[in-house]
Amino acid sequence: EVQLVESGGGSVQVGGSLTLSCAASGFSFDDYAIGWFRQVPGKAREGVSCFTSRSTYYADSVKGRFTISTDNGKNTVYLQMNRLKLDDTAVYYCAADRIVMGCTSWLPPIYGFNYQGQGTQVTVSS
């Protein structure tokens, strides 16, 4: 059974940092692209970042501030978020898609992923 379990969300002030974690089970990172997308109520999902062994993707809105990394031994993917802005407030979801797609599933418009977690709230306040 595939599971993606996010943790690390919370509240932080503008300019602060948070690190999200996603513990994955039931599949190998060798076979899937893994990453994060976010959603604000009433808005479209936004692909934030994706990782494969061949490529890394970041949305323009987070480039230079967010860093994705993986620990294959723990089957965990992380999202280090620095210099957070008010616009970063959203529910962040961990997602995985068959690696044949690369990170294209994270490009707009997002249609969906093979797997996604339950989401973790990130709230940035002034």
Side-chain angles (χ1 to χ4, degrees), residues 31 33 50 52 97-107 112 114:
D31 299 324
C50 166
T52 73
D97 218 24
R98 292 291 294 182
I99 202 162
V100 66
M101 300 296 294
C103 286
T104 58
S105 298
W106 276 258
L107 301 176
N114 292 130

Side-chain angles (χ1 to χ4, degrees), residues 17-61:
S17 299
L18 278 176
T19 300
L20 305 182
S21 300
C22 173
S25 60
F27 67 97
S28 169
F29 284 4
D30 291 337
D31 299 324
Y32 285 82
I34 186 84
W36 300 85
F37 72 94
R38 63 189 181 186
Q39 187 161 29
V40 176
K43 292 189 176 181
R45 290 174 289 185
E46 180 186 16
V48 174
S49 183
C50 166
F51 176 87
T52 73
S53 59
R54 294 185 176 184
S55 63
T56 304
Y57 164 80
Y58 293 100
D60 287 343
S61 58

Side-chain angles (χ1 to χ4, degrees), residues 6-21 36-41 46 48 62 65-66 78-94 118-126:
E6 302 98 335
S7 60
S11 298
V12 65
Q13 289 190 320
V14 170
S17 299
L18 278 176
T19 300
L20 305 182
S21 300
W36 300 85
F37 72 94
R38 63 189 181 186
Q39 187 161 29
V40 176
E46 180 186 16
V48 174
V62 307
R65 300 187 298 121
F66 290 11
Y78 305 95
L79 186 68
Q80 173 69 43
M81 305 184 295
N82 297 327
R83 291 184 282 133
L84 283 160
K85 303 177 179 180
L86 294 173
D87 287 347
D88 295 320
T89 295
V91 178
Y92 285 71
Y93 296 86
C94 180
Q118 80 288 352
T120 186
Q121 176 71 45
V122 171
T123 302
V124 184
S125 60
S126 57

